[in-house]
Amino acid sequence: MTGAVLIERDGPVAILMLNRPKTRNALSDDVIRELEAFLAAANEDESLGCILLTGAGEAFSSGGNVKEMRDGSHPMFAGSPAEMQEAYRRNIQVLPRLFDQLDVPAIAAVNGLAIGAGMDIATMCDIRLASTEATFAESFLRVGLISGDGGAWYLPRVVGYPRAVELALTCRTLNAAEALDWGLVTHVLQPEELMPAAREMAHRIASFAPRSVRLNKRLIRQSMGVPLGTALDLAASYQAIIQHTPDHREALLALLERRKPVFHD
């Protein structure tokens, strides 16, 4: 680990901070690899209730490293078309696949600039909170590119197809209030309130039975891409699994007895 991503554990909540403020937390190879290592192991950590992702300094993430693009110093920006295609698959595209497989809920606390792939990383999280200082832009056309990191799949699922196309084809920048209006974020907070509010939400999510939380998230994500009948079959299956866990009974008894549940599963 190089410290490109700082990881703090607050009980069942993991706070991940992109830690390359000099590049405005550009998604260089070390950032990608450290995010990959954490996300690849997250589902196996049964004590992990929620993930909180933010950026160090004044930016959330400025996206791809423009100097690496200019210099061709990364395999994604050098070699034959076939070699570059494979480099995308092995590098930045690892992250959208891992986020799609992630059962642990993920919150993005967008503290500042979220540009290009930086905005796309935010859309890969389940919930986005923004500082009043945050700005968002799907600005790949400014450097003559497309979204090569999965944003073309995630963004329409967050803001809808017409707005996703408008953002991609105009490179329009949204301020925090506009992002709230467009449904890109769910809350806008003063800078000093952002992380406390995000932590509070993460801990609230993590306070419920862990397996129920994860299967709730998995069901919603999987239901978005299947027919209703398939979604209902998934719901029945997951419900049957949950109802055989001790934590389901503990939640039920705690509600009836008007006390705080104590989960062990």
Side-chain angles (χ1 to χ4, degrees), residues 75-221:
M76 290 190 294
F77 311 124
S80 69
E83 289 169 334
M84 293 172 73
Q85 179 188 37
E86 191 59 33
Y88 269 88
R89 288 174 175 165
R90 293 195 309 266
N91 289 278
I92 188 66
Q93 290 186 353
V94 170
L95 297 182
R97 291 190 179 98
L98 286 171
F99 272 105
D100 189 49
Q101 297 163 7
L102 187 64
D103 286 337
V104 183
I107 300 171
V110 183
N111 53 302
L113 198 70
I115 301 297
M119 175 171 168
D120 290 344
I121 290 293
T123 67
M124 295 174 199
C125 295
D126 305 298
I127 303 168
R128 284 153 297 283
L129 281 64
S131 158
T132 53
E133 303 298 318
T135 56
F136 301 83
E138 190 77 352
S139 54
F140 294 94
L141 280 177
R142 292 193 185 278
V143 289
L145 294 176
I146 64 167
S147 172
D149 53 38
W153 191 88
Y154 279 95
L155 185 58
R157 286 167 167 77
V158 175
V159 299
Y161 175 83
R163 285 178 163 174
V165 172
E166 179 179 338
L167 288 170
L169 299 189
T170 66
C171 296
R172 172 177 174 173
T173 298
L174 300 180
N175 62 32
E178 291 170 325
L180 180 65
D181 182 59
W182 280 42
L184 182 58
V185 304
T186 56
H187 302 275
V188 174
L189 302 116
Q190 293 299 317
E192 67 275 11
E193 297 172 344
L194 176 64
M195 286 304 293
R199 282 177 182 262
E200 181 181 355
M201 180 180 289
H203 277 285
R204 178 168 184 170
I205 291 170
S207 71
F208 295 103
R211 191 169 301 181
S212 297
V213 169
R214 293 187 183 198
L215 286 185
N216 262 282
K217 173 187 166 174
R218 189 192 298 177
L219 178 62
I220 293 170
R221 184 179 290 277

Side-chain angles (χ1 to χ4, degrees), residues 223 225-232:
S223 294
V226 299
L228 174 61
T230 304
L232 291 174

